[in-house]
Amino acid sequence: MKNKIRYYRQEMKITQKELGKILGVSRQTISALENNKFNPTILMAHKLTILFNCKIEDLFTFDEKYKYDSDKKTLEEITEE
């Protein structure tokens, strides 16, 4: 999963340390998030969307490796044939 946390943070003109303080995490955690080395919890993702006033799909890009089959209620891997 990739994200645009750095972009939105810079638009707000706040540092990683300031964002970390708002979210209750360290500056290192914000750095790891921005560098796609760590995926946030759903609660943190929700807080970020509220703070940045955006939708979750604007902030995060999900891996297209899987598709959901609603008829079978399964998550299937997409394979190239």
Side-chain angles (χ1 to χ4, degrees):
M1 177 169 69
K2 295 189 179 190
N3 69 69
K4 296 179 184 171
I5 295 171
R6 177 177 286 123
Y7 168 81
Y8 282 100
R9 177 182 58 78
Q10 290 174 338
E11 286 290 306
M12 289 186 69
K13 298 181 179 7
I14 60 174
T15 65
Q16 288 180 340
K17 186 174 182 179
E18 291 167 329
L19 180 57
K21 188 172 183 178
I22 292 167
L23 296 173
V25 298
S26 69
R27 181 208 58 79
Q28 290 85 351
T29 298
I30 301 303
S31 177
L33 286 168
E34 290 182 353
N35 289 301
N36 299 303
K37 299 196 186 266
F38 172 72
N39 288 328
T41 64
I42 191 71
L43 180 59
M44 186 183 299
H46 180 66
K47 287 178 181 179
L48 286 165
T49 60
I50 291 170
L51 178 65
F52 296 147
N53 192 30
C54 68
K55 298 177 190 172
I56 195 137
E57 57 268 22
D58 294 334
L59 189 56
F60 298 98
T61 304
F62 296 94
D63 189 346
E64 296 294 328
K65 184 178 177 180
Y66 295 96
K67 67 177 179 178
Y68 180 70
D69 185 335
S70 60
D71 291 332
K72 295 180 184 176
K73 297 190 189 249
T74 61
L75 195 61
E76 298 174 349
E77 187 169 355
I78 298 171
T79 56
E80 296 291 323
E81 294 186 24

